[in-house]
Amino acid sequence: MEARAVLKYVRMSPRKARMVVDMIRGRKVEDALNLLKFTRRRAAKVVEKVLKSALANATQKEIGDVDDLRVSKAYVDGGPTEKRIQPTAMGRSWRIHKRSSHITIVLSPPVGSTQLPAGQAGKKTAAAVKPKSTAGVKPKSAAGVKPKTAAAVKPKSAAAVKAKS
């Protein structure tokens, strides 16, 4: 069971909003709210409102203890872009892109011992990654260079040895 909150058409660049959302993904709700409160970015206030809305949705659905909830998913999608024109010198013009975002936050209770630590949400564990099969594959030498054997090395002549010393 999970609770979600979506805020659409926020007049903010998705790239800037993602910087704040990436900080709270995988954290406990209490830690995330504390972090957002002291983050000095414009997106932090907007994300904090969405997080509080998701928390209110979780209490309404009676998902579980509010203190144990975690931010299981948090992402920012790009919304529509307003295109404006900025006049410049010699009759030319530049395009101005006023970007917008859709911010989504999903809260869920911990699932026992399979809960990942903060910042590790969405990453594969070592047990989940399958090793590749190497059956029937010949090992390659380092960087395509054949190893030299004693027969392949040319013996130095006595005159070359005397010239060096």
Side-chain angles (χ1 to χ4, degrees):
M1 192 86 177
E2 56 186 30
R4 78 173 30 206
V6 181
L7 180 62
K8 291 190 170 192
Y9 305 105
V10 181
R11 212 1 231 108
M12 182 179 303
S13 170
R15 183 176 180 180
K16 293 177 182 178
R18 278 187 196 113
M19 291 172 59
V20 175
V21 168
D22 288 343
M23 290 191 305
I24 66 166
R25 189 178 300 119
R27 294 184 182 268
K28 283 188 166 185
V29 173
E30 183 182 343
D31 296 339
L33 284 171
N34 197 24
L35 185 69
L36 290 172
K37 185 176 180 181
F38 295 106
T39 300
R40 297 184 59 183
R41 292 199 166 271
R42 183 173 153 246
K45 286 191 177 191
V46 177
V47 173
E48 185 179 4
K49 281 185 177 183
V50 179
L51 183 59
K52 284 181 179 178
S53 176
L55 187 60
N57 293 342
T59 56
Q60 181 71 27
K61 284 183 163 182
E62 298 177 355
I63 290 178
D65 190 16
V66 178
D67 297 331
D68 293 337
L69 291 176
R70 290 190 175 269
V71 180
S72 59
K73 296 178 192 172
Y75 52 90
V76 179
D77 294 326
T81 303
E82 297 177 5
K83 296 171 181 84
R84 300 290 181 257
I85 294 175
Q86 172 74 44
T88 60
M90 298 193 299
R92 297 178 182 154
S93 63
W94 292 336
R95 295 290 296 266
I96 295 178
H97 299 281
K98 297 190 173 193
R99 302 183 190 278
S100 65
S101 306
H102 303 315
I103 301 173
T104 305
I105 294 180
V106 180
L107 303 179
S108 62
V111 192
S113 62
T114 59
Q115 187 67 27
L116 295 174
Q120 297 290 325
K123 294 185 180 179
K124 290 184 178 179
T125 59
V129 178
K130 272 189 169 179
K132 293 182 181 178
S133 175
T134 57
V137 178
K138 284 174 44 178
K140 294 182 179 179
S141 60
V145 179
K146 293 182 181 177
K148 293 185 178 181
T149 59
V153 178
K154 294 181 183 178
K156 295 183 180 179
S157 65
V161 173
K162 286 183 182 178
K164 271 194 170 180
S165 51

